[in-house]
């Protein structure tokens, strides 16, 4: 905590912070020194603060041009990071904007024209603004990639390459992710200097030790009824249910609603304003069960999730880690349930276990 300037300490104390989390203590000195870093840290470990706090220290406040660019994979994470910036920069005069698709361009365009210091964006909508000449990148000094494994996946990689071409050559680039497979380490070299360093706060334990992992076998056609049985038995205060397909999210929402469960859904098929309302209701405990796909739930910071429920086993091992990272946070206990409907799913779960 002593490494922070007095102004920042006072803001943090006002929000009830008394100390920094490990990822923040480790990362802040590197970022203040403008070193390129690839940081592996568990979901829910405080990585947003790890890059927002040093960025706020180095922003030149009377130069109202974009100086830091934070790229994220989803709209929800974009808004979440923007909220954190506003909270931690209160009273400093530092301006930021969240740029993402699915909403009107006008408020984003107005903010850019009035001048901002920090841009938080999803790649697609940002490229739209870039190609229209709405964004000035000449003074960008810091590039942050949150959920780097997703940002460097095939879905985002082409846009990421285009954005990099518009940015100044000499910038500091820091990447964060709970899982960093070898492909990410290789692709990171395209965005970082050769001197870039790897900082792992997870070591080999990317899964929290205070998590229980349980699974139920059942017929593949009985997954919905098995889900109902588990929910009725445990009656969790808050639960996230993951499906692999958007259509299954919609189906399960209808089934559980029909049984009287208080549920909401997050997927690419749900309108943006509805997604925000659903997520806020879940955070405020007005909604007990949230059904979602991996993409829709990427990076969402939700506290106090009792149970994470895998209605389908994810295709990628890393996605299992991201899913279960929603529970067992900040030293609380959590449970991760998986329903196994056939042999391939059991084989996949065995692979994840190893």
């Amino acid at each position: 905590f002593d490494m922070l300037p007095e102004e920042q300490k006072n803001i943090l104390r006002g929000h009830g912070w008394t100390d920094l989390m490990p990822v923040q203590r480790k990362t802040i000195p590197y970022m203040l020194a403008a070193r390129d870093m690839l940081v592996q840290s568990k979901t829910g470990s405080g990585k947003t603060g790890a890059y927002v706090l040093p960025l706020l220290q180095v922003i030149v406040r009377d130069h109202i041009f974009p100086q830091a660019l934070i790229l994220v994979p989803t709209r929800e994470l974009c808004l979440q990071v923007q909220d954190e910036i506003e909270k931690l920069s209160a009273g400093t005069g530092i301006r930021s904007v969240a740029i993402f698709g699915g909403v009107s361009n006008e408020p984003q365009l107005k903010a850019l024209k009035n001048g901002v210091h920090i841009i938080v964006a999803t790649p697609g909508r940002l490229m739209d603004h870039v190609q229209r000449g709405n964004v000035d990148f000449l003074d960008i000094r810091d590039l942050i990639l949150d959920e780097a494994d997703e940002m460097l996946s095939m879905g985002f990689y082409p846009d990421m390459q285009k954005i990099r071409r518009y940015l100044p050559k000499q910038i500091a680039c820091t990447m964060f992710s709970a899982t960093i497979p070898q492909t990410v380490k290789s692709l990171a070299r395209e965005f970082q200097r050769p001197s870039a360093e790897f900082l792992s706060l997870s070591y080999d334990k990317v899964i929290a030790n205070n998590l229980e992992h349980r699974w139920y076998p059942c017929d593949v056609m009985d997954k919905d009824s098995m889900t109902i049985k588990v929910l009725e038995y445990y009656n969790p205060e808050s639960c996230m249910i993951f499906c692999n397909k958007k259509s299954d999210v919609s189906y399960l929402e209808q089934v559980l609603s029909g049984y009287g469960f208080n549920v909401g859904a997050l997927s690419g098929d749900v309108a943006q304003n509805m997604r925000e309302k659903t997520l806020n209701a879940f955070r405020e405990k007005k909604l007990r069960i949230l059904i979602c796909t991996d993409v829709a739930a990427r990076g969402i910071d939700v506290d106090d999730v009792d149970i994470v429920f895998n209605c389908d086993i994810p295709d990628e091992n890393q996605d299992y880690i991201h899913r279960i990272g929603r529970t067992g946070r900040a030293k609380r206990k959590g449970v991760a349930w998986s329903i196994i409907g056939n042999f391939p799913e059991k084989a996949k779960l065995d692979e994840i276990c190893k």
Side-chain angles (χ1 to χ4, degrees):
F1 213 60
D2 291 336
M3 71 172 67
L4 302 177
E6 202 58 41
E7 180 189 44
Q8 227 170 36
K9 286 185 198 173
N10 291 334
I11 292 172
L12 294 178
R13 287 189 193 108
H15 293 295
W17 289 35
T18 55
D19 199 6
L20 296 177
M21 298 178 83
V23 66
Q24 295 158 358
R25 286 196 296 270
K26 294 277 189 180
T27 305
I28 288 172
Y30 287 103
M31 286 195 63
L32 290 176
R35 303 262 288 274
D36 285 4
M37 295 296 297
L38 183 55
V39 182
Q40 181 173 13
S41 186
K42 291 196 295 274
T43 304
S45 61
K47 58 186 170 63
T48 307
Y51 59 78
V52 170
L53 288 171
L55 286 180
L56 294 178
Q57 287 187 48
V58 299
I59 292 294
V60 181
R61 299 179 191 182
D62 57 3
H63 185 68
I64 310 176
F65 287 90
Q67 298 169 41
L69 174 61
I70 302 167
L71 293 174
V72 298
T74 65
R75 306 161 183 174
E76 286 77 18
L77 183 54
C78 194
L79 286 167
Q80 187 176 292
V81 172
Q82 161 73 350
D83 286 344
E84 188 82 353
I85 292 170
E86 288 190 347
K87 183 173 84 172
L88 298 178
S89 65
T92 64
I94 293 174
R95 300 183 196 171
S96 57
V97 63
I99 293 177
F100 53 91
V103 294
S104 168
N105 253 336
E106 289 308 309
Q108 299 171 9
L109 190 53
K110 186 178 177 183
L112 290 169
K113 284 184 175 176
N114 289 338
V116 296
H117 299 98
I118 302 173
I119 294 173
V120 190
T122 55
R125 176 57 68 91
L126 181 65
M127 271 310 299
D128 186 45
H129 280 291
V130 168
Q131 288 165 347
R132 293 170 188 267
N134 299 334
V135 186
D136 181 354
F137 282 157
L138 293 177
D139 294 314
I140 294 286
R141 293 193 314 271
D142 285 277
L143 172 65
I144 311 294
L145 269 60
D146 202 343
E147 303 286 338
D149 58 341
E150 183 71 8
M151 299 307 299
L152 297 177
S153 68
M154 287 312 296
F156 286 108
Y157 184 62
D159 277 341
M160 292 296 300
Q161 282 186 307
K162 289 176 192 170
I163 290 168
R164 185 66 188 95
R165 285 198 285 269
Y166 282 93
L167 294 171
K169 282 191 169 59
Q170 294 304 314
I171 58 172
C173 178
T174 308
M175 303 187 186
F176 292 83
S177 185
T179 56
I180 301 181
Q182 190 56 46
T183 51
V184 171
K185 287 186 179 180
S186 300
L187 292 173
R189 296 187 190 117
E190 296 184 29
F191 298 84
Q192 296 183 316
R193 291 166 287 193
S195 59
E197 296 172 83
F198 178 56
L199 173 64
S200 175
L201 287 99
S202 305
Y203 308 104
D204 294 329
K205 297 179 181 176
V206 291
I207 299 173
N209 291 333
N210 51 332
L211 260 182
E212 285 187 43
H213 305 267
R214 306 174 184 171
W215 62 279
Y216 274 135
C218 76
D219 189 274
V220 73
M221 299 302 290
D222 294 334
K223 281 191 174 187
D224 48 0
S225 59
M226 181 61 82
T227 303
I228 290 164
K229 284 178 185 175
V230 174
L231 291 174
E232 285 178 339
Y233 183 82
Y234 286 97
N235 192 26
E237 284 295 313
S238 64
C239 172
M240 291 183 78
I241 301 176
F242 284 89
C243 300
N244 288 352
K245 297 177 183 176
K246 293 183 285 187
S247 57
D248 290 337
V249 168
S250 177
Y251 168 73
L252 196 57
E253 181 191 22
Q254 290 175 358
V255 171
L256 294 183
S257 296
Y259 272 82
F261 287 102
N262 183 14
V263 302
L266 285 185
S267 78
D269 288 341
V270 179
Q272 174 62 23
N273 60 346
M274 193 63 208
R275 284 164 70 170
E276 288 172 31
K277 285 179 185 174
T278 300
L279 188 53
N280 286 333
F282 186 66
R283 282 192 177 121
E284 293 164 8
K285 309 299 183 194
K286 294 173 184 172
L287 202 61
R288 294 178 66 180
I289 300 169
L290 187 64
I291 310 168
C292 43
T293 57
D294 290 300
V295 172
R298 264 284 178 167
I300 290 174
D301 191 16
V302 182
D303 292 328
D304 299 324
V305 176
D306 297 330
I307 292 177
V308 168
F309 204 90
N310 296 302
C311 208
D312 299 309
I313 299 300
D315 295 325
E316 300 293 333
N317 294 351
Q318 286 87 359
D319 285 332
Y320 181 86
I321 294 165
H322 282 285
R323 287 180 182 187
I324 64 165
R326 313 289 160 199
T327 188
R329 293 161 85 109
K331 299 183 181 177
R332 287 185 290 270
K333 289 199 171 184
V335 182
W337 276 109
S338 299
I339 294 182
I340 307 300
N342 54 32
F343 178 76
E345 285 195 318
K346 179 62 172 69
K348 189 69 187 169
L349 189 65
D350 288 342
E351 187 182 313
I352 290 168
C353 288
K354 288 175 187 173

